[in-house]
Amino acid sequence: MTKPFAITLDVGSSLANHTGAWRQERPVYVDLTPPCAHACPAMEDPQKWLYAAEDGSYEQAWRTLTEANPFPAIMGRVCYHPCETACNRSFLDEAVGINAVERFLGDHAIEQGWTFAAPMVTTGRRVLVVGAGPTGLSAAYQLRRLGHEVTVRDSSPKPGGMMRYGIPAYRLPRDVLDAEIARILDLGITLELGRRVDDVLGAMAEGFDAVFLAVGAQIGKRAYVPAGEAARIVDAVSMLHDVAQGEPPMLGRRVVVYGGGNTAVDAARTAKRLGATDAVIVYRRTRDRMPAHDSEMAEAMEEGVVVKWLSTVAHADAGHLRVEHMELDESGFPQPTGQFEDLEADSLVLALGQESDLSLVEGVSDLALADGSVQVDSSFMTGHPGIFAGGDVVPAQRTVTVGVGHGARAARAIDAWLRQTAVVEPVEAPLAEYSALNTWYYADAPHAVRPGLEAARRTSGFEEVVRGLDAETAAYEARRCMSCGNCFECDNCYGVCPDNAVIKLGPGMRFEIDYDYCKGCGICVAECPSGSILMIPEPR
């Protein structure tokens, strides 16, 4: 029967003509860099493992995550999640709780006893890693997976570096730390504890093909503070180290901490747990200029830590301190005012920064030092062939996350040097912008809040303060990811195409476009939630 012109055409009738000839532009599927991955110093791609965690595929998610970072349970506790700061979802409601899901996956892996697969082949090359902190262990993990024989030496009686001796147990329980380190060592890494390396060239001469320096920054900076002979002054790094060793110092009931970084906050919170009735932080600037992270500062104040803003220690003596009030000049630098205040204090804890012990590289003429750091090139190689360095010992931000990233990148460079090949740096695709997303497809879903220990119970011991998510909440939080810039097979393009030009390739295979029939209308681009389809000019 001949149908009237106005009658709707049969399904598939759009395939009667090759309408692709009408096109001036064509849609293409793209894979863009999600902002969370771009912001991660550890080189994780959270979007990939969040996608696996959405439906409860937790082991797959964990294995994807640990390709870059072997410490998800640790990082889920101590990382300050720059990925969440960059998350596009924060423009819609709240950022995805990436760090909380990471912690859940790490804890779940420990509970389930998941392990890493040993390397299938061994290269016969030997690498010495000096330092068993996050940077050194990350490098050792990646080097071992690449098939090299790895020995880690550390002067301490236990591995972990500043994760063990600088981060208090109320933030990082030691059973979690031990479990994730043990899993790495089980790959066949040799760990030599209580072995200080005093001469890197001498150590290298023991038959190692390369050395990676990851000694960290475990020496507290000593600043001159006018003080009487009876003043009790300790540095925060030594204090936290002694507490971790089970030998807490006698600080007294009134403790003042001088500094404004995370170590200062940890020292004040630890002092409260050691019995101090008053824990006061003295800081030269205002809170908005304080380098300590907001979450740590908020928890400290909940626990009764007091902060003297715009203040500096002018003199310390037995039982009291004199503090001078400061004011910020036009450039934000604190200037003295000549106004003083006396504080009662049994001890003063200095938290004014940390530095590395670089005595092991003395005498290495072609290895450059500057401002207390080892100078390296883009491959983490020092001026001496075969000696690499990373983490706190090189110029960089000093965090666990940065250290893990340095270890992974340095391992890749060491592997290339041993194989006499060029380092192949991954090429990052363009960034997925929030403006390219169709956010009305995403329902409002507030950020899940991690439970925490009540403030009244915190200072009675070193019990963990911030708790983890359960499985249901972790899956919910993973589903909040908007898959910025990457197709997640929602079928929108397939459903809205008026030309039947979008072809489904099957689960996990995504789609392709039949350009014989696509006339370039752009509806698929307009309706793609994740911004993973772009219109480009038609090739001529």
Side-chain angles (χ1 to χ4, degrees):
M1 181 182 73
T2 302
K3 295 182 179 180
F5 179 77
I7 295 297
T8 303
L9 300 176
D10 292 332
V11 174
S13 60
S14 62
L15 302 182
N17 297 308
H18 286 203
T19 53
W22 304 358
R23 195 172 53 240
Q24 298 297 315
E25 292 183 308
R26 64 167 57 190
V28 293
Y29 291 98
V30 294
D31 287 295
L32 304 180
T33 300
C36 55
H38 177 73
C40 179
M43 300 191 302
E44 290 184 32
D45 187 346
Q47 188 185 99
K48 288 184 178 179
W49 50 263
L50 286 170
Y51 185 80
E54 286 183 10
D55 64 356
S57 300
Y58 295 134
E59 184 171 1
Q60 178 186 344
W62 177 79
R63 295 199 180 278
T64 301
L65 190 165
T66 54
E67 288 289 316
N69 164 33
F71 301 119
I74 294 171
M75 295 265 275
R77 289 168 164 83
V78 305
C79 177
Y80 294 103
H81 38 78
C83 54
E84 295 184 24
T85 302
C87 178
N88 276 333
R89 178 119 200 175
S90 64
F91 297 106
L92 178 63
D93 42 34
E94 295 176 287
V96 177
I98 300 169
N99 187 247
V101 181
E102 181 175 31
R103 169 176 169 167
F104 167 79
L105 293 173
D107 288 348
H108 191 62
I110 294 172
E111 294 168 3
Q112 298 298 314
W114 295 336
T115 59
F116 297 133
M120 300 297 292
V121 296
T122 300
T123 65
R125 299 286 190 166
R126 300 181 65 218
V127 182
L128 173 65
V129 175
V130 184
T135 306
L137 291 172
S138 171
Y141 165 72
Q142 300 291 356
L143 286 164
R144 184 64 189 135
R145 293 175 68 219
L146 290 165
H148 304 300
E149 296 179 25
V150 183
T151 297
V152 180
R153 288 183 184 169
D154 195 285
S155 61
S156 299
K158 292 184 178 181
M162 292 302 286
M163 294 188 295
R164 183 181 301 277
Y165 296 110
I167 299 177
Y170 63 80
R171 288 177 55 203
L172 178 56
R174 297 311 184 238
D175 58 339
V176 172
L177 177 65
D178 291 338
E180 294 211 309
I181 292 176
R183 185 192 290 127
I184 294 173
L185 298 177
D186 287 344
L187 285 172
I189 295 168
T190 300
L191 176 64
E192 299 178 355
L193 295 172
R195 287 202 61 181
R196 178 183 173 87
V197 177
D198 294 310
D199 176 9
V200 65
L201 292 179
M204 193 173 186
E206 295 177 27
F208 293 102
D209 300 293
V211 176
F212 180 57
L213 304 179
V215 294
Q218 300 195 32
I219 302 174
K221 288 184 178 179
R222 299 289 293 190
Y224 174 70
V225 175
E229 292 184 1
R232 169 92 170 124
I233 302 177
V234 299
D235 75 83
V237 176
S238 298
M239 168 198 164
L240 294 172
H241 184 281
D242 291 345
V243 172
Q245 287 274 65
E247 302 170 354
M250 300 296 293
L251 299 176
R253 307 292 288 179
R254 300 161 302 181
V255 179
V256 173
V257 179
Y258 188 24
N262 294 310
T263 300
V265 177
D266 283 339
R269 297 179 70 184
T270 297
K272 293 285 287 186
R273 286 161 172 78
L274 295 178
T277 54
D278 299 315
V280 179
I281 294 175
V282 172
Y283 180 55
R284 298 190 304 160
R285 294 182 172 87
T286 52
R287 181 169 182 176
D288 62 314
R289 297 175 182 270
M290 192 178 195
H293 290 90
D294 287 342
S295 60
E296 295 295 317
M297 193 66 249
E299 290 177 5
M301 297 178 77
E302 290 171 1
E303 294 168 7
V305 173
V306 175
V307 184
K308 289 285 185 181
W309 307 106
L310 290 171
S311 302
T312 187
V313 176
H315 189 273
D317 215 329
H320 70 273
L321 294 174
R322 172 153 289 189
V323 173
E324 182 173 7
H325 297 296
M326 311 293 282
E327 62 182 10
L328 300 181
D329 60 21
E330 293 180 354
S331 65
F333 193 82
Q335 300 290 347
T337 63
Q339 299 176 359
F340 296 90
E341 177 184 2
D342 289 330
L343 301 177
E344 294 183 342
D346 298 310
S347 58
L348 172 63
V349 180
L350 301 181
L352 302 172
Q354 297 155 232
E355 53 193 6
S356 301
D357 180 359
L358 300 179
S359 60
L360 79 167
V361 297
E362 290 179 358
V364 184
S365 59
D366 48 2
L367 189 150
L369 303 177
D371 298 324
S373 299
V374 176
Q375 302 302 294
V376 294
D377 61 20
S378 59
S379 69
F380 293 89
M381 175 99 82
T382 68
H384 188 93
I387 298 181
F388 298 76
D392 293 353
V393 77
V394 303
Q397 186 181 11
R398 289 174 169 174
T399 69
V400 173
T401 314
V402 169
V404 170
H406 278 198
R409 291 168 59 196
R412 189 168 58 214
I414 294 169
D415 177 67
W417 188 79
L418 292 173
R419 298 178 190 270
Q420 297 185 331
T421 60
V423 179
V424 179
E425 294 291 344
V427 178
E428 188 173 275
L431 200 63
E433 303 285 351
Y434 178 76
S435 58
L437 307 179
N438 286 303
T439 55
W440 68 272
Y441 276 106
Y442 302 98
D444 287 345
H447 176 31
V449 178
R450 283 190 269 195
L453 191 66
E454 301 86 352
R457 293 176 51 195
R458 294 180 194 170
T459 56
S460 61
F462 285 83
E463 186 178 353
E464 187 171 18
V465 170
V466 180
R467 306 302 173 88
L469 304 180
D470 58 29
E472 182 178 354
T473 309
Y476 158 81
E477 194 62 40
R479 287 193 291 270
R480 295 183 66 243
C481 174
M482 299 190 296
S483 195
C484 304
N486 295 279
C487 173
F488 60 96
E489 299 183 27
C490 68
D491 283 359
N492 269 23
C493 56
Y494 179 77
V496 301
C497 179
D499 301 312
N500 294 325
V502 177
I503 302 170
K504 294 181 68 170
L505 300 178
M509 302 295 290
R510 300 186 178 178
F511 308 87
E512 69 178 23
I513 295 173
D514 188 335
Y515 292 112
D516 282 341
Y517 301 102
C518 169
K519 59 177 177 287
C521 66
I523 293 177
C524 56
V525 176
E527 298 299 324
C528 176
S530 62
S532 60
I533 314 175
L534 299 179
M535 296 297 292
I536 64 171
E538 183 65 21
R540 297 300 180 189

